[in-house]
Amino acid sequence: MANATFGRLMAAITPRNDNYFVLFNNLADCAVKGSKVLALMTTVRDAERFDLHFSELRRIESEADEYTKEILLSLHKTFITPFDRREIRELAMALDDIIDYMEDIPQSAKIYGHTSFTPEMVALSQILLRASEKVRDAVNMLSDMKDAGRILRTCEEISAIEGEADHVMRAGMQRLFAEEADARTLIRSKELYDLFEEAVDSCEDVADVIHGVVLERI
């Protein structure tokens, strides 16, 4: 009983930490910035320019890691959170995953000694950019649940974009196996397609978390 009373007292005197929304917005901004850089990289043929873009993408990924760490550390310090702690953790990790997979794409390309991408991969980079922009829209609306319907529609749009990415990836894989005989190129390209898919899937993971958060509050 004493513990319950103490908990109510602390809840009454401890302000809610709305800094979470600032950090989520910063993470979503990183996802958009990263996807723009990645989209440029898929069209670059000059190795030096590719490396310059890659350095920028790694800088963005490091910035996102710091925001993610701050969110996770704050969960141990904040008495009152804007929504469930598990959902906060899942949202932070899903946003961070988008950017991690973005960085993995050029990293994988460089390991195999190539910096060129198929037309389908170029298309996937544009799809990832659109998905990231929708993610940013949804995250930016989280701090104010007044227009829950709009947030849910944005989440549905992200899911539709993910479906579009699946279609493009399947078409790319089909063309790859029909036209390419070199096993090394097949392995490399399959890995790159998988990473593009993971990045877009992470956007949908963000949408799923936000969808759950909103449904619990309307």
Side-chain angles (χ1 to χ4, degrees):
M1 184 69 178
N3 287 339
T5 302
F6 176 75
R8 288 194 295 270
L9 177 61
M10 288 298 296
I13 65 175
T14 306
R16 192 175 79 176
N17 189 348
D18 289 324
N19 192 47
Y20 284 110
F21 295 118
V22 174
L23 294 170
F24 284 139
N25 289 341
N26 289 343
L27 266 175
D29 286 341
C30 284
V32 173
K33 289 187 292 185
S35 59
K36 287 180 178 178
V37 174
L38 179 60
L40 285 173
M41 295 178 76
T42 62
T43 62
V44 166
R45 295 294 177 263
D46 178 77
E48 185 175 349
R49 288 181 61 201
F50 184 92
D51 287 341
L52 286 173
H53 289 313
F54 191 23
S55 294
E56 174 63 10
L57 184 54
R58 283 184 292 189
R59 186 197 65 77
I60 294 168
E61 191 274 338
S62 295
E63 180 183 347
D65 279 348
E66 291 304 312
Y67 293 136
T68 303
K69 289 175 185 175
E70 189 172 348
I71 291 170
L72 298 180
L73 285 173
S74 69
L75 287 174
H76 300 288
K77 302 175 182 178
T78 309
F79 191 80
I80 299 176
T81 57
F83 46 91
D84 186 79
R85 292 171 183 272
R86 174 186 56 81
E87 293 169 323
I88 289 174
R89 185 177 293 104
E90 289 177 352
L91 181 56
M93 295 307 297
L95 284 165
D96 190 61
D97 282 347
I98 299 172
I99 305 152
D100 285 344
Y101 285 121
M102 285 179 188
E103 187 198 21
D104 286 344
I105 290 168
Q107 182 66 61
S108 179
K110 284 180 69 65
I111 288 172
Y112 286 102
H114 296 277
T115 57
S116 59
F117 297 88
T118 68
E120 290 83 5
M121 291 176 193
V122 175
L124 284 169
S125 73
Q126 293 296 327
I127 291 172
L128 179 56
L129 173 57
R130 286 167 44 214
S132 298
E133 289 173 337
K134 290 295 181 182
V135 162
R136 182 175 62 183
D137 290 343
V139 170
N140 286 347
M141 289 186 282
L142 258 185
S143 60
D144 185 357
M145 294 285 186
K146 289 180 181 177
D147 198 350
R150 186 182 171 196
I151 301 175
L152 294 176
R153 287 192 298 273
T154 303
C155 291
E156 291 170 2
E157 289 170 357
I158 295 169
S159 295
I161 293 172
E162 190 275 336
E164 183 182 342
D166 283 346
H167 178 76
V168 171
M169 193 191 80
R170 285 194 296 269
M173 290 294 297
Q174 184 177 7
R175 188 172 70 83
L176 176 69
F177 283 102
E179 299 178 2
E180 185 56 63
D182 180 68
R184 188 169 180 270
T185 301
L186 286 171
I187 293 170
R188 165 190 173 271
S189 298
K190 173 65 166 58
E191 182 174 333
L192 289 175
Y193 276 122
D194 287 345
L195 290 171
F196 273 109
E197 181 182 30
E198 293 283 6
V200 180
D201 284 350
S202 294
C203 292
E204 187 174 35
D205 290 342
V206 170
D208 289 343
V209 176
I210 292 176
H211 188 274
V213 169
V214 173
L215 287 183
E216 289 176 2
R217 286 154 182 79
I218 60 175

